[in-house]
Structure formats: structure tokens, C-alpha cells
Amino acid sequence: MENVIKIDLQKLLASNQLIELELGCGVRTVPGRINIDRIDLPGVDIVCDLEAGLLFIPDSSVDIIYANSFFEHVYNFEGLIREIVRVLKPNGKCVLSVPHFSNPYYYSDYTHKRFFGLYSFYYFVDEKYQLSRKVPSFYVNTRIKVLSIRYKFTSRLPVLNRLKQWLSIIINASSAFQEIYEENFCYLIPCYSLEVIFAPDMQEYN
């Protein structure tokens, strides 16, 4: 599909203001951010197919990228991570939320292409910076630093929701607790989503 850019992107990138992208914004457009979606909805600044990347964004030009419930809709996950690392400034970061694989609601949405676990983003991290359970880091050259990863628990029932908030505090207290939970208890007490923050790691695997 042909990109439709409704803002003066070059002028904005040349300015001194904070450059923030909102990927897959849908109807949740955010003022002050460059809102991007493949559907031309009200408030969308750039209409494009993000499966093809962010080719209209120069290298190292973006401060923050947000993606709320978007990555599960993407086929080309590896390519999009590569593009995010390319366009982020060295001190930039990506803040995102994705469904956890134990979330029962995930399977109801036929547009979902993938789900995520605690280790999903560590496949882009050098082994020495991974958790106690190591995953292969040789699949791709793209490298990131996982700055934060947290489980989010929620329930439609108020009593259960309060209990899950306390559970969230305990499980997210350490990466060891997170690993124990995902290996042993995630189907007993399902997690709603993962909230992840990562930054580009400029040293690539050779």
C-alpha cells in the first residue's frame, strides 16, 4: 500500500522537539505523538503498512516509540524490531504492551498473529544480559537492551482484580519470581499482558 503522510514530517524531524511515534494507534491517537496506522482513521498522521517497516523515518531520529496492543497483529516481528532499533536515537527507547500467551482473551481476536512470553524479547539480547534461562541469540543481528519487563494482571471482577494487583507486586519484584511464575503458575493464574521497555544496543552480533 502507498504511504500517506499528512504532516510535515521533515520539518518535524528537523525541529528540536521530542519525536514520539505511536505505532498501530487505531482510534487511540495521542496528541503530541506521530500517530501511525494502516487504516486512515481520524487523528492518524501517517497511513502505512508497518509490515514494510518505517522507511520514511531516517536513522537515529526518534526519541520514544510507543506500541500498545500492536505487536500481536504483526507478521514481520523481527523486521519491525530491526526498524525500531534503526530509527531510535542511541538514548531512545520503545515502550510497549503485548498480550501474554496465558491470556484467554488473546485467542478470541482473529486478527492476532502471535503472542508473547517473558523471554520473547530476549532473543534480541546478548546471552550475558539474559535471564537465568538462556535463549538463542544467534537468530538475528539486531540487538536491544531490555530495560524493564513486567507482568500485568487484571480481572473484570473487582475482588479478583484487587487480589491480582497484589500478586503483580510480588511476581514483578524480581526476574527470578517472574521466571518461576511463567514456568509453573501462569496457567493457574493467567497474565493479561507484558509491559516492556527496551532500548537499542548498538553492538551487533557478528
Side-chain angles (χ1 to χ4, degrees), residues 33-168:
R33 297 178 188 171
I34 300 174
N35 296 282
I36 304 174
D37 201 279
R38 73 184 305 275
I39 302 175
D40 191 359
L41 296 165
V44 172
D45 301 304
I46 299 177
V47 181
C48 70
D49 183 0
L50 286 167
E51 296 281 1
L54 295 160
L55 302 179
F56 46 86
I57 304 287
D59 295 359
S60 304
S61 60
V62 176
D63 295 283
I64 306 177
I65 293 176
Y66 296 93
N68 182 24
S69 298
F70 166 67
F71 278 91
E72 63 268 28
H73 299 277
V74 174
Y75 281 112
N76 189 16
F77 174 62
E78 178 185 321
L80 187 56
I81 293 290
R82 184 186 303 114
E83 279 290 274
I84 287 173
V85 169
R86 178 185 68 79
V87 303
L88 279 175
K89 295 177 181 178
N91 61 342
K93 62 183 180 180
C94 180
V95 180
L96 61 98
S97 175
V98 290
H100 189 261
F101 63 79
S102 66
N103 180 350
Y105 298 121
Y106 166 83
Y107 299 94
S108 297
D109 190 337
Y110 73 93
T111 66
H112 287 175
K113 308 298 189 298
R114 67 180 66 248
F115 41 76
F116 297 83
L118 180 63
Y119 306 97
S120 296
F121 289 88
Y122 281 98
Y123 285 82
F124 300 90
V125 175
D126 282 328
E127 186 175 309
K128 60 183 177 181
Y129 299 120
Q130 293 185 14
L131 303 175
S132 62
R133 174 184 177 263
K134 307 303 179 184
V135 296
S137 60
F138 53 80
Y139 294 158
V140 295
N141 291 333
T142 306
R143 283 290 174 264
I144 64 173
K145 299 174 184 176
V146 175
L147 304 179
S148 172
I149 186 164
R150 294 178 60 82
Y151 290 108
K152 180 180 179 182
F153 298 87
T154 187
S155 173
R156 295 183 298 107
L157 302 176
V159 173
L160 280 179
N161 190 58
R162 283 194 292 272
L163 289 173
K164 287 187 174 185
Q165 299 317 304
W166 284 105
L167 179 67
S168 175

Side-chain angles (χ1 to χ4, degrees), residues 165-180:
Q165 299 317 304
W166 284 105
L167 179 67
S168 175
I169 293 172
I170 296 170
I171 291 176
N172 289 315
S174 74
S175 59
F177 288 171
Q178 290 177 328
E179 291 189 272
I180 291 170

